[in-house]
Every structure is written in C-alpha cells, then in structure tokens.
Amino acid sequence: MSERSDQTTTGILGTIATPGDLKRLSPEQLTLLAAEIRDFLVAKVSRTGGHLGPNLGVVETTLALHRVFDSPRDRILFDTGHQAYVHKIVTGRQDGFDLLRQRGGLSGYPSRAESEHDLIENSHASTALSYADGLAKAFTLRGEDRHVVAVVGDGALTGGMCWEALNNIAAAKNKLVIVVNDNGRSYAPTIGGLADHLSTLRLNPGYERVLDLVKNALGSTPVVGKPAYEVLHAVKKGIKDAVSPQPMFEDLGIKYIGPVDGHDHQAMESALRRAKGFNAPVIVHAVTRKGYGYRPAEDDEADCLHGPGAFDPQTGALTAKPSVKWTHVFAEELVAIADERPDVVGITAAMAEPTGIAALAKKYPARAYDVGIAEQHAATSAAGLAMGGLHPVVAVYATFLNRAFDQVLLDVAMHELPVTFVLDRAGVTGPDGPSHYGIWDMSVFGVVPGLRIAAPRDAATLREELREAVAVDDGPTIVRFPTGSVAADLPAVRRAGPVDVLHEGERKDVLLVAVGAFAKLGMDVAERLAEQGYGVTVVDPRWVRPVPIELVGLADRHRLVVTLEDGVRAGGVGEAVAATLRDAGADVPLRSFGVPTGFHPHGTRAEILASLGLTAQDVARDVTEWVSKLEEASGERQPAS
C-alpha cells in the first residue's frame, strides 16, 4: 500500500460523488481509482475498526456494478452487508468514514437512513436472494423495467435461505442478476461440499498449467504430438465440465456466466453487461481474494483482517493493548473439558475463530464441526449428535441463534436433548448496530420448555457455568456472555442455592438481581444507594431460566426487588422473576431495568447503555425514588440524604 495524506478527496476518488461519475472514467482511471479506494479503506478503518478484508476484495466488482447498473433505479442488494463499504464510497458517503461505526456516524452495513442507494439493512447472511426474488416479482407485476442485483459473498451461499430463494428465482424468470463474490471464505475458509464445488477452479487451476506444459512438450513431437494434445484437450474439457458450477445452476434454470476474475474491472463489466442483457435470472461467478491489495490482510491466514479493531496501517498490527477476552476464556475452558470428556464436541456456523471453536478444532480436529452459515442446520445436527451419545457445544453469536429458534424448540428441547448453546456477543455489543445486538435471547428462548439459561458475570463464573451446562444430560442449556474484555472477578460473599450473594447491606430495603455482566453495575448502584442510607442486597442468579426459587425467600425479606438485565425487558428476566414471585405468593413490588424493545442505533456499548438509562447514576436515582415512595406510602421516615 502506498502512503497517502489524510486528505481523502484528492485524486480520482475526490471527483466521485455519485455512481454516474464512474461511467465517464477510462480503464486506466478505474485502475487508479481502485488503488485509491483501497488506500482510503485502510486509512479509515485503521482508525475506527471495521470490516476491512471483505471490502478490499470487492472493489473492482463494486465499481463494475455501478458502471453497468443505474442505482437506485436498479436495486443493488448486498449479502452480507459488511461488504458494502465501497458501495458507500461511490454513492456519496466518503466523508462519513471518519465516524465509521461510531455513534451518530456511518453504519458498517447498508442503511436506509443514510442513502437512497441502500434498500435493505441486512447484516445477517443468506437473505438477499429472498429480498431480490420478491423485489423482482414486484417490479414485473407493476410493469417497471428495472433490474435487481444481489451480491452474495463471504460464504452466504452456504445458508439454506439462498437455495430456497434460488428455487423460486429460477421459476419466476424475472430480471435478476446474482453476483457470487466467491472468495472461498466467510470468516475462515468456507466449509462444505458446495464450497468445495465452487472453489475447484479457483483453488485447483493445476490442470490448466499441466495442459500448457504438455502442449509445449508434445508440440515438438512431429507425429504423435498434435493428436495426443487434442486427446488431452478433450480430457481437459471433460474435467472442466465436471467441476464447473455451470451445470449445477443451469439445471435450476438459471443462466451462468463465469468464473470471472473479480479484480479485473473490464472482465467484470463485460460479464455484467451480458447478464443485464439476458433479461432473466443470471448468476455471475466472480472469483476474488479477501483482503486483496493490502499485504497484511492477504497474509492473515485466520480471517484476512475480516473485522479488525483499530490497527497500524503500515503493518496491520492491532493498536489496542492485549486483554483477556470472554471468547478466549470460553475457548480455553472448552478444550479443558474436552480433555476430560471425549463425548464433548464443538459446532460453529462459519465462525470458528470469532466464537472460540477454533481452539478445540486445533487440538481435536475430528471433534469440531464448522457447518457454514447455517444456524438452523447447526442446531438440528447437534440434536443428532446428542441422540448419538455425544454432548455438542454449539458456539454462535447471540444474535444468530434467533434464526434457529424453531430448531432449538422442537428439534432439541422437545426431545430433551443435552445440547449446550454458547452465545458470544450477548447483550448490547456496540459498533455493529441493531442487527448484531444480542439482546433477544433471554426473552425469545426463555419460553422454551426445559431450557436452562446461564449468564456468567466474570471469567471464574464462565468456567464454572460452562461445566455445569455440559453436565446437564436431560435437556438443552444456554451460556451467554458479552463481547470484549472480561471484567475483574467479582467473588460472592455467600451462595444461596445456585444464587450468588455479592453484597449485603445492614438494612433490607432493596434486593437487586443483577444478571451476568451487569453484576458490576449492580454493585455500583448499591454503593450509591448506601450513600442515601438504603440497604441493598446484590445477587447474581447465575442461572436465570428457570428462575431460582431461592430468589423468593430473598425477596420476602426486602421492601423492593429490582432486576438489571442486558437484554430486552419484554419477556425477559425481570418479567420471569415477577411471575415467580406472584406464583409463590410473595407480595413484594418489583421494578425492572433492561433494554427497551426496539432497534437501537450503533455506538460504543457504554454510549448505548447510557442512552438507555442503564448507568449506575440513572438506576440509583430511579431506585431511590421508588423506595422513597414506598416509605411515604407506609408512613415510615425516609433516611437522611
């Protein structure tokens, strides 16, 4: 990468304000523009963090898309949405990259609020083809001469929704172009038979080189040479036909063009123009390299700098100080458990490194399964593994398990199968925005019969609760934890059944039930209330579903129960505790703090929590007011402030 100044509007890039500006550029100018865009991406993402590798790999393909199609009249949909940075750049959002993924700044995904060029805000994979199918049908029914283009990349074709959509797209015969951005990877290399089929030409081009060598050698043999070469060429053609994806897609009734070098803008434009002129479903198979053009990304075997935090643009090294992450603690403990129990296996959905399953795969490769972007399959495959006498640990981001609710409910729980789901990035996660917030799990999965949910507060309780989860043999379990660095261990003063008592004041004014990572918030609230003369007992239930019955006895000894949870309040832990108290006849008022139902904007975790009133100051103020009103109603004297 060449060095550039902080000025980002110089050069050819500085002349691009709309997609139409691309159409006047010469091939040479396009080549220079692609280099400038890569420099721009590295410079900006190195400061803010973000999805670098996927966007470096899709530069020329995106430029070709906007030269051939007329956005926003023609609709361009990105699946997955994290490969849309270049699209943002050429649709007038260059200045927004200074605040990429920061509060009030540019989203890391397509955003309807940002631009008329963004139609869907998808950051969950394998959905764009279904959107595109419906949109193309709508255009046809309304008599509108418009194209729909779906850019499918980063392993999204391993998701089942893509194939459900393809089946319908083929039957509809509408103006729909599918660009398969085939970089052979999701985070890590894409897994599965389909991925192997698609990548054969890209990963194994040896037969082309062998053909050239044999042609050169046999060409010098006057009698045998040419006939032998023709035979070999026929064999080679047969091999290519056998491994090419073309028959697979055309058997569905979808025209196939490719494979095309996705980094050759002229080749991509030619392929896209042919596809556009076909006026029916077409797949353009673009072969690209994730991280292309930036050596540190190309050399990063783990994930091609898929989504780094802030980093040194010259070396690619992260600038944040190393710290112990929740994922690392889980990964380490899972391997330790696997050392002791040969029946424990791991499953992940295209995220072995980000979820920690890679550590298990490294030591026990036969006991770790990456199923691709297929959370539904992961859950039911885990059910099968459990039926076969194993204990699967399914590690996914909390937001992605939402996609497999039916499988958890009916394929796992109804059969009372011992499957442990480990949910990384639970709660408000920050810069990735509302689609990635893991705030739904305790509400959504709280209704599943027989499912137990644990929420560790620190490294020690994560290790402990993970072991407790895999010890359960009569139903599914969930262990959820947030993203980022693990908080300092917060030891209990005593344990009441499964409930950890973290703090006990002399007075019994408030029982504060702090869930998981909110334990530290609960302690801070207790300290502020103590300054007002109120006594608080802070407890961590550890296992939030089913609600520990011990909470009833604790609640009976207090004036008010307050719950704190890093999840949506509707149907959450607070409501579950309230129902448990009512069922037990405990006549204690309860107030709950949690995330309001809604799609909250991106920002840092601290910023989002502050905006939602989930800080020690906000919570302590409200609790003080509630206790004061209870005292007034009972005629008791309020403590001195």
Short mmCIF file of all heavy atoms in Angstrom, two decimals, residues 28-59:
data_model
loop_
_atom_site.label_atom_id
_atom_site.label_comp_id
_atom_site.label_asym_id
_atom_site.label_seq_id
_atom_site.Cartn_x
_atom_site.Cartn_y
_atom_site.Cartn_z
N GLU A 28 -7.90 3.03 -17.50
CA GLU A 28 -6.73 3.39 -16.70
C GLU A 28 -7.13 4.14 -15.45
O GLU A 28 -6.57 3.94 -14.36
CB GLU A 28 -5.78 4.24 -17.55
CG GLU A 28 -5.14 3.51 -18.72
CD GLU A 28 -6.08 3.32 -19.90
OE1 GLU A 28 -7.15 3.98 -19.93
OE2 GLU A 28 -5.76 2.50 -20.78
N GLN A 29 -8.09 5.04 -15.57
CA GLN A 29 -8.56 5.79 -14.41
C GLN A 29 -9.25 4.88 -13.39
O GLN A 29 -9.12 5.07 -12.18
CB GLN A 29 -9.51 6.90 -14.85
CG GLN A 29 -8.83 8.05 -15.58
CD GLN A 29 -9.83 9.06 -16.12
OE1 GLN A 29 -10.84 8.68 -16.74
NE2 GLN A 29 -9.56 10.34 -15.89
N LEU A 30 -9.96 3.89 -13.88
CA LEU A 30 -10.61 2.94 -12.98
C LEU A 30 -9.58 2.16 -12.17
O LEU A 30 -9.77 1.90 -10.98
CB LEU A 30 -11.50 1.98 -13.76
CG LEU A 30 -12.83 2.53 -14.25
CD1 LEU A 30 -13.50 1.54 -15.20
CD2 LEU A 30 -13.75 2.84 -13.08
N THR A 31 -8.49 1.80 -12.81
CA THR A 31 -7.42 1.09 -12.10
C THR A 31 -6.84 1.96 -10.99
O THR A 31 -6.61 1.49 -9.87
CB THR A 31 -6.31 0.67 -13.09
OG1 THR A 31 -6.88 -0.21 -14.07
CG2 THR A 31 -5.19 -0.05 -12.36
N LEU A 32 -6.60 3.23 -11.31
CA LEU A 32 -6.08 4.15 -10.29
C LEU A 32 -7.11 4.37 -9.18
O LEU A 32 -6.75 4.43 -8.00
CB LEU A 32 -5.72 5.49 -10.94
CG LEU A 32 -4.52 5.48 -11.89
CD1 LEU A 32 -4.38 6.83 -12.59
CD2 LEU A 32 -3.23 5.14 -11.13
N LEU A 33 -8.38 4.48 -9.56
CA LEU A 33 -9.43 4.68 -8.56
C LEU A 33 -9.50 3.49 -7.59
O LEU A 33 -9.64 3.68 -6.38
CB LEU A 33 -10.78 4.87 -9.24
CG LEU A 33 -11.99 4.98 -8.31
CD1 LEU A 33 -11.86 6.18 -7.38
CD2 LEU A 33 -13.29 5.07 -9.12
N ALA A 34 -9.37 2.29 -8.11
CA ALA A 34 -9.41 1.10 -7.25
C ALA A 34 -8.28 1.15 -6.23
O ALA A 34 -8.49 0.82 -5.05
CB ALA A 34 -9.31 -0.17 -8.10
N ALA A 35 -7.09 1.57 -6.66
CA ALA A 35 -5.96 1.68 -5.73
C ALA A 35 -6.23 2.75 -4.68
O ALA A 35 -5.92 2.57 -3.49
CB ALA A 35 -4.68 1.98 -6.50
N GLU A 36 -6.81 3.88 -5.12
CA GLU A 36 -7.12 4.95 -4.16
C GLU A 36 -8.16 4.50 -3.14
O GLU A 36 -8.07 4.83 -1.95
CB GLU A 36 -7.62 6.18 -4.92
CG GLU A 36 -6.55 6.89 -5.73
CD GLU A 36 -7.10 8.11 -6.46
OE1 GLU A 36 -8.27 8.48 -6.19
OE2 GLU A 36 -6.37 8.71 -7.28
N ILE A 37 -9.14 3.75 -3.60
CA ILE A 37 -10.18 3.26 -2.68
C ILE A 37 -9.57 2.33 -1.65
O ILE A 37 -9.91 2.39 -0.46
CB ILE A 37 -11.32 2.58 -3.46
CG1 ILE A 37 -12.14 3.62 -4.22
CG2 ILE A 37 -12.21 1.77 -2.53
CD1 ILE A 37 -13.21 3.05 -5.12
N ARG A 38 -8.66 1.47 -2.06
CA ARG A 38 -8.02 0.57 -1.10
C ARG A 38 -7.21 1.35 -0.07
O ARG A 38 -7.25 1.05 1.13
CB ARG A 38 -7.16 -0.46 -1.83
CG ARG A 38 -7.97 -1.52 -2.54
CD ARG A 38 -7.13 -2.70 -3.02
NE ARG A 38 -8.02 -3.77 -3.45
CZ ARG A 38 -8.48 -3.90 -4.70
NH1 ARG A 38 -8.10 -3.04 -5.64
NH2 ARG A 38 -9.32 -4.88 -5.00
N ASP A 39 -6.48 2.35 -0.53
CA ASP A 39 -5.74 3.20 0.41
C ASP A 39 -6.70 3.90 1.38
O ASP A 39 -6.44 4.00 2.58
CB ASP A 39 -4.93 4.26 -0.35
CG ASP A 39 -3.68 3.68 -1.00
OD1 ASP A 39 -3.36 2.51 -0.73
OD2 ASP A 39 -3.03 4.40 -1.77
N PHE A 40 -7.79 4.39 0.84
CA PHE A 40 -8.81 5.08 1.64
C PHE A 40 -9.37 4.14 2.71
O PHE A 40 -9.48 4.50 3.90
CB PHE A 40 -9.92 5.56 0.72
CG PHE A 40 -11.07 6.25 1.40
CD1 PHE A 40 -11.08 7.62 1.58
CD2 PHE A 40 -12.17 5.52 1.85
CE1 PHE A 40 -12.15 8.26 2.20
CE2 PHE A 40 -13.24 6.14 2.48
CZ PHE A 40 -13.23 7.52 2.65
N LEU A 41 -9.71 2.92 2.31
CA LEU A 41 -10.28 1.95 3.25
C LEU A 41 -9.30 1.62 4.37
O LEU A 41 -9.67 1.60 5.55
CB LEU A 41 -10.68 0.67 2.52
CG LEU A 41 -11.93 0.75 1.64
CD1 LEU A 41 -12.07 -0.51 0.80
CD2 LEU A 41 -13.17 0.95 2.50
N VAL A 42 -8.06 1.38 4.01
CA VAL A 42 -7.06 1.04 5.02
C VAL A 42 -6.87 2.20 5.99
O VAL A 42 -6.83 2.03 7.21
CB VAL A 42 -5.72 0.64 4.37
CG1 VAL A 42 -4.63 0.50 5.42
CG2 VAL A 42 -5.88 -0.66 3.59
N ALA A 43 -6.78 3.42 5.44
CA ALA A 43 -6.55 4.60 6.29
C ALA A 43 -7.71 4.81 7.25
O ALA A 43 -7.50 5.08 8.45
CB ALA A 43 -6.35 5.84 5.42
N LYS A 44 -8.93 4.69 6.76
CA LYS A 44 -10.10 4.98 7.61
C LYS A 44 -10.37 3.86 8.61
O LYS A 44 -10.60 4.11 9.80
CB LYS A 44 -11.33 5.21 6.73
CG LYS A 44 -11.23 6.42 5.82
CD LYS A 44 -11.01 7.72 6.61
CE LYS A 44 -10.98 8.92 5.69
NZ LYS A 44 -10.71 10.18 6.43
N VAL A 45 -10.38 2.62 8.13
CA VAL A 45 -10.71 1.50 9.02
C VAL A 45 -9.63 1.30 10.07
O VAL A 45 -9.89 0.83 11.17
CB VAL A 45 -10.96 0.22 8.20
CG1 VAL A 45 -11.26 -0.96 9.12
CG2 VAL A 45 -12.12 0.43 7.23
N SER A 46 -8.39 1.68 9.76
CA SER A 46 -7.32 1.53 10.75
C SER A 46 -7.58 2.40 11.97
O SER A 46 -7.10 2.10 13.07
CB SER A 46 -5.96 1.90 10.13
OG SER A 46 -5.87 3.29 9.86
N ARG A 47 -8.34 3.47 11.82
CA ARG A 47 -8.63 4.36 12.94
C ARG A 47 -9.87 3.94 13.72
O ARG A 47 -9.92 4.08 14.94
CB ARG A 47 -8.83 5.80 12.42
CG ARG A 47 -7.59 6.39 11.75
CD ARG A 47 -7.82 7.88 11.45
NE ARG A 47 -6.66 8.47 10.79
CZ ARG A 47 -6.64 8.79 9.50
NH1 ARG A 47 -7.70 8.59 8.75
NH2 ARG A 47 -5.56 9.33 8.96
N THR A 48 -10.88 3.44 13.00
CA THR A 48 -12.18 3.17 13.65
C THR A 48 -12.44 1.70 13.89
O THR A 48 -13.31 1.35 14.69
CB THR A 48 -13.32 3.70 12.77
OG1 THR A 48 -13.33 2.98 11.51
CG2 THR A 48 -13.16 5.18 12.49
N GLY A 49 -11.71 0.83 13.20
CA GLY A 49 -12.07 -0.58 13.17
C GLY A 49 -13.22 -0.78 12.18
O GLY A 49 -13.89 0.18 11.77
N GLY A 50 -13.42 -2.00 11.77
CA GLY A 50 -14.49 -2.28 10.82
C GLY A 50 -14.17 -3.48 9.97
O GLY A 50 -13.18 -4.18 10.18
N HIS A 51 -15.00 -3.72 8.97
CA HIS A 51 -14.84 -4.88 8.09
C HIS A 51 -13.92 -4.49 6.93
O HIS A 51 -14.37 -3.90 5.95
CB HIS A 51 -16.19 -5.36 7.59
CG HIS A 51 -17.01 -6.00 8.66
ND1 HIS A 51 -17.99 -5.32 9.35
CD2 HIS A 51 -16.98 -7.25 9.17
CE1 HIS A 51 -18.54 -6.14 10.23
NE2 HIS A 51 -17.95 -7.31 10.15
N LEU A 52 -12.66 -4.83 7.06
CA LEU A 52 -11.68 -4.43 6.06
C LEU A 52 -11.52 -5.46 4.95
O LEU A 52 -11.69 -5.15 3.77
CB LEU A 52 -10.32 -4.17 6.73
CG LEU A 52 -9.21 -3.72 5.79
CD1 LEU A 52 -9.54 -2.35 5.19
CD2 LEU A 52 -7.87 -3.65 6.53
N GLY A 53 -11.19 -6.70 5.32
CA GLY A 53 -10.89 -7.73 4.33
C GLY A 53 -11.96 -7.91 3.27
O GLY A 53 -11.65 -7.95 2.07
N PRO A 54 -13.24 -8.03 3.65
CA PRO A 54 -14.28 -8.23 2.64
C PRO A 54 -14.36 -7.10 1.63
O PRO A 54 -14.63 -7.33 0.45
CB PRO A 54 -15.57 -8.31 3.46
CG PRO A 54 -15.13 -8.68 4.84
CD PRO A 54 -13.78 -8.04 5.01
N ASN A 55 -14.13 -5.87 2.08
CA ASN A 55 -14.28 -4.72 1.19
C ASN A 55 -13.08 -4.53 0.28
O ASN A 55 -13.23 -4.10 -0.87
CB ASN A 55 -14.56 -3.48 2.02
CG ASN A 55 -15.95 -3.52 2.62
OD1 ASN A 55 -16.94 -3.35 1.93
ND2 ASN A 55 -16.03 -3.80 3.91
N LEU A 56 -11.89 -4.86 0.76
CA LEU A 56 -10.73 -4.83 -0.12
C LEU A 56 -10.91 -5.80 -1.28
O LEU A 56 -10.41 -5.56 -2.38
CB LEU A 56 -9.46 -5.20 0.67
CG LEU A 56 -9.00 -4.20 1.74
CD1 LEU A 56 -7.84 -4.79 2.54
CD2 LEU A 56 -8.59 -2.87 1.11
N GLY A 57 -11.62 -6.87 -1.03
CA GLY A 57 -11.80 -7.89 -2.06
C GLY A 57 -12.89 -7.61 -3.06
O GLY A 57 -13.01 -8.32 -4.07
N VAL A 58 -13.71 -6.58 -2.84
CA VAL A 58 -14.86 -6.37 -3.71
C VAL A 58 -14.80 -5.02 -4.43
O VAL A 58 -15.78 -4.57 -5.00
CB VAL A 58 -16.17 -6.51 -2.89
CG1 VAL A 58 -16.44 -5.26 -2.06
CG2 VAL A 58 -17.35 -6.89 -3.75
N VAL A 59 -13.62 -4.39 -4.46
CA VAL A 59 -13.51 -3.03 -5.03
C VAL A 59 -13.89 -3.01 -6.51
O VAL A 59 -14.82 -2.29 -6.92
CB VAL A 59 -12.09 -2.47 -4.82
CG1 VAL A 59 -11.96 -1.12 -5.53
CG2 VAL A 59 -11.78 -2.32 -3.34
#
